[in-house]
Amino acid sequence: MNDRILGDDASRGGARGGTLVTKRFFALDGKGYEAGALSAKQKELLGLVASMVLRCDDCIAYHIDQCVAVGATDDELWETFDIALIVGGSIVIPHLRRGVEFLDMARAKAAM
Amino acid sequence: MNDRILGDDASRGGARGGTLVTKRFFALDGKGYEAGALSAKQKELLGLVASMVLRCDDCIAYHIDQCVAVGATDDELWETFDIALIVGGSIVIPHLRRGVEFLDMARAKAAM
Amino acid sequence: MNDRILGDDASRGGARGGTLVTKRFFALDGKGYEAGALSAKQKELLGLVASMVLRCDDCIAYHIDQCVAVGATDDELWETFDIALIVGGSIVIPHLRRGVEFLDMARAKAAM
Amino acid sequence: MNDRILGDDASRGGARGGTLVTKRFFALDGKGYEAGALSAKQKELLGLVASMVLRCDDCIAYHIDQCVAVGATDDELWETFDIALIVGGSIVIPHLRRGVEFLDMARAKAAM
Amino acid sequence: MNDRILGDDASRGGARGGTLVTKRFFALDGKGYEAGALSAKQKELLGLVASMVLRCDDCIAYHIDQCVAVGATDDELWETFDIALIVGGSIVIPHLRRGVEFLDMARAKAAM
Amino acid sequence: MNDRILGDDASRGGARGGTLVTKRFFALDGKGYEAGALSAKQKELLGLVASMVLRCDDCIAYHIDQCVAVGATDDELWETFDIALIVGGSIVIPHLRRGVEFLDMARAKAAM
């Protein structure tokens, strides 16, 4: 799907894909999470809590994978879940449940 | 206002205030930001980014004050603003502007 | 302002106002809160909790006035605030504070 | 999944689960819906309308089950749907459709 | 499902369906998109961008079908996606991906 | 404030301002509204409806000014308000009221 959006028209059989604006947005989205004054792990935890209070499951799954990849511990992730739960309320609970499933899958994959 | 909500009826002239549920929620809200696996600073930055994407100015002002109190640098705050801006979009811009005003006030107060 | 939106063009110096769609929406908004299987008080409490979790201060002020007008007690209002707080999270707190102010004003006005 | 979040580490093979903050939040969530000045039914209808305007299908399904369990009638539920629809707009419609499916399932289960 | 909501009780085996308020809301929802000062295409693009920033997949699918039906081009749709992406942020990305899938399906169906 | 965010450190007395990510986001935000397959007017109406359903008054004021600048008529604006009202519900009403005030101010300024 990323190629469908970001690739050139030839690669998708001539169908129109993302504009220059779309492509720049995707590039900026990647750049925002690069380590700076905050580490990559801190930024991924920020992305995770933002995704949880906005209740976007795909975004939660993505950021949990990234958090695991850059070394976040379970304790750090649960404390991040708690901030999301307190700020966002019980409406976050179904997304927290799915977050735990995503985390278990990410840990299982990393253990293989 | 906190006394109006959390105090006892006598302290507010007999008017009804927060219930036991209200009081427990406020207590839990405080407890969630105590240092644990994540430092108080990391948790305040998480609270800040969540407040920015949910676009709550009072919450942004509160967390910026807390961030300054626990030693967050301007660079760390601007990188947190950036995550909020990318995740939440241009609709966050007016709140980012006010966040900068809150930060300038917090720095000025801390310099006095 | 309601006349600016719902009145006829002559009443606002020729400026365009709400369309037929706008006017029908406003009429439907009024009709939805009329007593039916649920009492007017129950419906106003529903409107209040919805306004609180969506964090709209003008809507909260309006529904608190209506709740007071149809006889809601302070205990009923605080329990409604609690549901909003639990479902919507700490992001609701600034709106709960303003809700208490609106309530105090509504009670003071009713006592005059 | 509740045991995965709220149980002790032994019960989930040593994996970390919810913190003390998580557990207290879940307990408070339950406590908020206990009968008080408002009946359990009135509180469940408040939880339902809040879930609908925030557009959380899992929460809608849960509260409809609870509403049926505490004796809410179809007329009361449809009037609650209407408040959600008016306050939250057409964006609520897909969730209203699923709400009707949840209700039909809850009634069918109760009739068995 | 529309008949379940908008039909008469006999057509759904006696079960209660939408109230007069529900039915009027659905009628108004249809009326709002009729051509006026803005063309039907412009209104559908407005409905699409609103659905994208509010992140409602069913609504996005519906409006993309309507946009294709009234002659919106791929370039017009991608520029609408871009406004949603900029205003709503990266949280819109999963919905943009699904929007592209809906669009490909709508074009395939129209080509049959 | 734009200079506070986008200017160089010297122009704001050495205080830190927006990062490269912040600046690129602001640039992209401007680029998204340039005329393409859709006219500047159509894009501004899209930005307006998105701002209304997300309920951001500063954004609504900005886009109404832009809409007036690129020649949107009152009828086009009221039909855009209607889409926002139907999609977003009665919670949009306070923002619609302020939108009308912004429009009256923009027309008065343009008439001077």
Side-chain angles (χ1 to χ4, degrees):
Chain A
M1 176 52 69
N2 265 2
D3 195 56
R4 174 69 185 82
I5 293 174
L6 305 178
D8 54 36
D9 287 2
S11 75
R12 55 186 169 242
R16 305 299 305 227
T19 69
L20 188 58
V21 169
T22 324
K23 289 171 185 174
R24 283 191 185 164
F25 190 97
F26 276 67
L28 195 55
D29 185 25
K31 190 162 184 54
Y33 293 93
E34 291 173 6
L38 297 173
S39 67
K41 186 176 76 177
Q42 284 175 308
K43 288 189 167 187
E44 287 299 333
L45 293 173
L46 291 172
L48 174 58
V49 83
S51 300
M52 289 184 78
V53 297
L54 290 175
R55 303 189 286 119
C56 171
D57 286 328
D58 290 304
C59 312
I60 293 169
Y62 172 80
H63 284 295
I64 284 180
D65 274 352
Q66 295 298 106
C67 285
V68 167
V70 296
T73 66
D74 280 6
D75 283 345
E76 290 170 329
L77 286 161
W78 276 99
E79 291 185 9
T80 302
F81 291 170
D82 282 348
I83 300 287
L85 188 58
I86 289 171
V87 174
S90 69
I91 210 87
V92 170
I93 289 178
H95 305 277
L96 186 153
R97 287 185 210 278
R98 285 190 281 273
V100 174
E101 289 172 15
F102 298 141
L103 177 56
D104 286 348
M105 285 189 287
R107 292 286 181 222
K109 200 164 57 177
M112 282 196 293
Chain B
M1 176 51 69
N2 265 2
D3 194 57
R4 173 70 186 83
I5 293 174
L6 304 179
D8 53 36
D9 287 4
S11 75
R12 54 187 170 243
R16 305 299 307 229
T19 69
L20 188 60
V21 169
T22 324
K23 289 171 185 174
R24 283 192 185 162
F25 190 97
F26 276 67
L28 195 56
D29 186 24
K31 189 161 185 55
Y33 293 92
E34 291 173 6
L38 297 173
S39 68
K41 186 176 76 177
Q42 284 175 309
K43 287 189 167 186
E44 287 299 334
L45 293 173
L46 291 172
L48 175 57
V49 83
S51 300
M52 290 185 78
V53 297
L54 290 176
R55 302 189 287 119
C56 171
D57 286 329
D58 290 303
C59 311
I60 293 169
Y62 172 80
H63 284 295
I64 284 181
D65 274 352
Q66 295 298 106
C67 285
V68 166
V70 296
T73 67
D74 280 8
D75 283 345
E76 290 170 329
L77 285 163
W78 276 100
E79 292 186 9
T80 302
F81 292 170
D82 283 347
I83 300 287
L85 189 57
I86 289 171
V87 175
S90 70
I91 210 85
V92 169
I93 289 177
H95 305 276
L96 187 153
R97 287 185 210 278
R98 285 191 281 273
V100 174
E101 289 172 15
F102 298 142
L103 178 57
D104 286 349
M105 285 189 287
R107 292 286 181 222
K109 201 165 56 178
M112 282 198 293
Chain C
M1 176 52 69
N2 264 3
D3 195 57
R4 174 70 186 83
I5 293 173
L6 304 178
D8 53 37
D9 287 3
S11 75
R12 55 188 169 240
R16 306 298 306 229
T19 68
L20 189 59
V21 169
T22 324
K23 289 171 185 172
R24 283 191 185 165
F25 190 97
F26 276 67
L28 194 56
D29 185 24
K31 190 161 185 53
Y33 293 92
E34 291 172 6
L38 297 173
S39 67
K41 187 177 75 177
Q42 284 175 308
K43 288 189 168 185
E44 286 300 333
L45 292 173
L46 291 172
L48 175 58
V49 83
S51 300
M52 289 184 78
V53 297
L54 290 176
R55 302 188 287 119
C56 170
D57 285 328
D58 289 305
C59 312
I60 293 169
Y62 172 79
H63 284 295
I64 284 181
D65 274 352
Q66 295 299 106
C67 285
V68 167
V70 296
T73 66
D74 280 7
D75 283 345
E76 290 171 328
L77 285 162
W78 276 100
E79 291 185 9
T80 302
F81 292 170
D82 283 348
I83 300 287
L85 189 57
I86 288 171
V87 175
S90 70
I91 210 87
V92 169
I93 289 177
H95 305 275
L96 186 152
R97 287 185 210 278
R98 285 191 282 274
V100 174
E101 289 172 15
F102 298 142
L103 178 57
D104 286 348
M105 285 189 287
R107 291 287 181 222
K109 201 165 57 178
M112 283 197 294
Chain D
M1 176 51 69
N2 265 3
D3 195 56
R4 173 72 186 83
I5 293 174
L6 303 178
D8 52 37
D9 289 2
S11 75
R12 53 186 170 243
R16 305 298 307 228
T19 69
L20 188 59
V21 169
T22 324
K23 289 171 185 173
R24 282 192 186 163
F25 190 96
F26 276 67
L28 194 56
D29 186 24
K31 189 161 185 54
Y33 292 92
E34 291 173 5
L38 297 173
S39 68
K41 186 175 77 176
Q42 284 175 308
K43 288 189 168 185
E44 287 299 334
L45 293 173
L46 290 172
L48 175 58
V49 83
S51 301
M52 290 184 77
V53 296
L54 290 177
R55 302 190 286 119
C56 171
D57 286 327
D58 290 303
C59 312
I60 293 169
Y62 171 80
H63 284 294
I64 284 181
D65 274 352
Q66 295 298 106
C67 285
V68 166
V70 296
T73 67
D74 280 7
D75 283 345
E76 290 170 329
L77 286 162
W78 276 100
E79 292 186 10
T80 302
F81 292 170
D82 283 348
I83 300 287
L85 188 59
I86 289 171
V87 175
S90 70
I91 210 87
V92 169
I93 289 177
H95 305 276
L96 187 152
R97 288 185 209 278
R98 286 191 281 274
V100 174
E101 288 171 17
F102 298 142
L103 178 57
D104 286 348
M105 286 189 286
R107 292 285 182 225
K109 200 165 55 177
M112 282 197 292
Chain E
M1 176 51 70
N2 265 2
D3 195 55
R4 173 71 186 83
I5 293 174
L6 305 177
D8 52 37
D9 288 2
S11 75
R12 54 186 171 243
R16 306 298 306 229
T19 69
L20 188 59
V21 169
T22 324
K23 288 171 186 173
R24 283 193 186 162
F25 190 96
F26 276 68
L28 194 56
D29 185 25
K31 189 160 184 57
Y33 293 92
E34 290 172 7
L38 297 173
S39 67
K41 186 176 76 176
Q42 285 175 307
K43 288 188 168 188
E44 287 299 334
L45 293 173
L46 291 172
L48 175 58
V49 82
S51 300
M52 290 184 78
V53 297
L54 290 176
R55 303 190 286 119
C56 171
D57 286 327
D58 290 304
C59 311
I60 294 169
Y62 172 80
H63 284 296
I64 284 181
D65 274 351
Q66 295 298 106
C67 285
V68 166
V70 296
T73 66
D74 280 6
D75 283 345
E76 289 170 329
L77 285 163
W78 276 99
E79 291 186 9
T80 302
F81 292 170
D82 282 348
I83 300 287
L85 188 59
I86 289 171
V87 175
S90 69
I91 210 87
V92 169
I93 290 177
H95 306 275
L96 186 152
R97 288 185 208 279
R98 285 190 281 274
V100 173
E101 288 171 17
F102 298 142
L103 178 56
D104 286 348
M105 285 189 288
R107 292 286 181 224
K109 201 165 56 177
M112 281 197 294
Chain F
M1 177 51 70
N2 265 2
D3 195 56
R4 173 71 186 81
I5 294 174
L6 304 179
D8 52 39
D9 289 1
S11 75
R12 54 185 171 243
R16 305 298 306 229
T19 69
L20 188 59
V21 169
T22 324
K23 289 171 185 173
R24 282 192 185 162
F25 190 97
F26 276 67
L28 194 56
D29 185 25
K31 190 161 185 55
Y33 293 92
E34 291 173 6
L38 297 173
S39 68
K41 186 175 76 176
Q42 284 174 308
K43 288 189 167 187
E44 287 299 334
L45 293 173
L46 291 172
L48 175 57
V49 83
S51 300
M52 289 184 79
V53 297
L54 290 176
R55 303 188 287 120
C56 171
D57 286 327
D58 289 303
C59 312
I60 293 169
Y62 171 79
H63 284 295
I64 284 181
D65 274 352
Q66 295 298 107
C67 285
V68 166
V70 297
T73 66
D74 280 5
D75 284 345
E76 290 170 328
L77 285 162
W78 276 99
E79 292 186 8
T80 302
F81 293 170
D82 283 348
I83 300 287
L85 189 58
I86 289 171
V87 175
S90 70
I91 211 86
V92 169
I93 289 177
H95 306 276
L96 186 153
R97 286 186 210 279
R98 285 191 281 274
V100 174
E101 289 173 15
F102 298 141
L103 177 56
D104 285 349
M105 285 189 288
R107 292 285 181 223
K109 201 165 56 177
M112 283 197 292

